[in-house]
Amino acid sequence: MKIDNLEEGFFYHIYNRGNNSENIFIEEQNYAYFTKLMHRYVLPIADVYAYCLMKNHFHFLLRIKEKSSVKEHELKYTTVIKPKIISASRQLSHFFNAYSQAVNKKYERTGSLFEKPFERKRIEDEAYLKRLVVYIHSNPINHGFCEKVKDYKWSSFNAIISENSTKIMREEVIELFGGKENFIFCLENLNDEDLIF
């Protein structure tokens, strides 16, 4: 299968859902394991600006790192053979494969967990980038899981507004919105356009 390359230095909206719209997170510990794998597989090749994990789908906003800043010894694979080239697309595939294999083993299931190879959209302008940050964090409201963005546990919103240590690109996101107060205001005062993308 040919994997389309993600170009270094660019922002991408990465998303996928469960095969036949089935849940990809069956219980609470699945979300935690997925984020653990995100740290292992994604952070070496990309900066995470936003994410949201829903029962049957997920969203990421990533900026692919330049190859010169990727530390090869940090890369993880789901195969025993080390790839000949560093590829962000392949690294993400390893991430999703590792999660799929773990879920299939734990719940004694077979077949594809995800609907298809992950979707990706390159973000070309700042306005779209900001709108995507709002959309990703408002996803739980859009799907009726909560009324306020801060009440949803499995997104990057609370990591961005807190003072605790995080691997999320907190300062960059806050700067994009002109400050923390404006970022919070934008997410607490959503309109219909923010919920539809």
Side-chain angles (χ1 to χ4, degrees):
M1 173 179 67
K2 182 181 183 298
I3 299 175
D4 296 330
N5 283 330
L6 299 170
E7 293 184 59
E8 58 186 271
F10 285 96
F11 286 94
Y12 286 89
H13 179 197
I14 306 289
Y15 56 98
N16 208 343
R17 66 179 177 176
N19 201 11
N20 297 316
S21 295
E22 293 174 9
N23 289 345
I24 55 176
F25 303 107
I26 294 93
E27 53 188 314
E28 192 80 358
Q29 64 185 353
N30 302 144
Y31 294 94
Y33 186 66
F34 192 83
T35 55
K36 179 181 175 181
L37 291 178
M38 175 184 76
H39 283 80
R40 184 182 302 167
Y41 288 95
V42 179
L43 291 179
I45 53 91
D47 296 318
V48 179
Y49 279 69
Y51 73 85
C52 186
L53 312 181
M54 304 295 291
K55 279 190 172 194
N56 70 350
H57 68 283
F58 65 82
H59 296 273
F60 285 112
L61 172 56
L62 306 177
R63 182 188 171 278
I64 305 304
K65 291 181 180 179
E66 285 80 5
K67 284 194 174 76
S68 59
S69 65
V70 173
K71 298 178 178 111
E72 284 193 58
H73 68 277
E74 292 181 355
L75 298 179
K76 306 291 183 199
Y77 317 105
T78 50
T79 59
V80 293
I81 301 167
K82 181 181 173 183
K84 293 177 182 172
I85 58 165
I86 296 172
S87 165
S89 295
R90 288 188 185 278
Q91 195 68 15
L92 284 167
S93 291
H94 287 302
F95 167 35
F96 302 134
N97 287 338
Y99 182 73
S100 296
Q101 289 168 13
V103 168
N104 282 355
K105 183 177 180 181
K106 180 171 177 59
Y107 300 102
E108 298 179 351
R109 67 181 301 282
T110 58
S112 176
L113 177 65
F114 296 107
E115 187 174 73
K116 55 188 123 183
F118 65 91
E119 299 283 350
R120 80 268 343 251
K121 285 187 183 174
R122 192 160 102 177
I123 291 96
E124 301 281 350
D125 65 81
E126 190 174 292
Y128 188 86
L129 185 67
K130 285 174 68 175
R131 188 162 176 235
L132 186 56
V133 169
V134 172
Y135 171 76
I136 288 173
H137 288 121
S138 65
N139 225 246
I141 295 171
N142 193 22
H143 290 279
F145 284 93
C146 60
E147 291 183 9
K148 295 188 180 295
V149 177
K150 66 178 179 163
D151 294 334
Y152 192 72
K153 183 177 179 181
W154 299 109
S155 84
S156 51
F157 178 77
N158 287 315
I160 292 170
I161 66 168
S162 84
E163 299 298 325
N164 298 332
S165 176
T166 182
K167 300 286 187 180
I168 304 298
M169 304 302 285
R170 172 191 289 143
E171 282 75 27
E172 290 78 359
V173 172
I174 288 171
E175 185 180 321
L176 188 64
F177 285 82
K180 186 191 284 188
E181 293 76 18
N182 195 48
F183 173 70
I184 293 170
F185 178 84
C186 289
L187 270 297
E188 288 182 345
N189 296 277
L190 299 166
N191 57 48
D192 290 341
E193 286 183 11
D194 297 321
L195 301 174
I196 301 166
F197 206 72

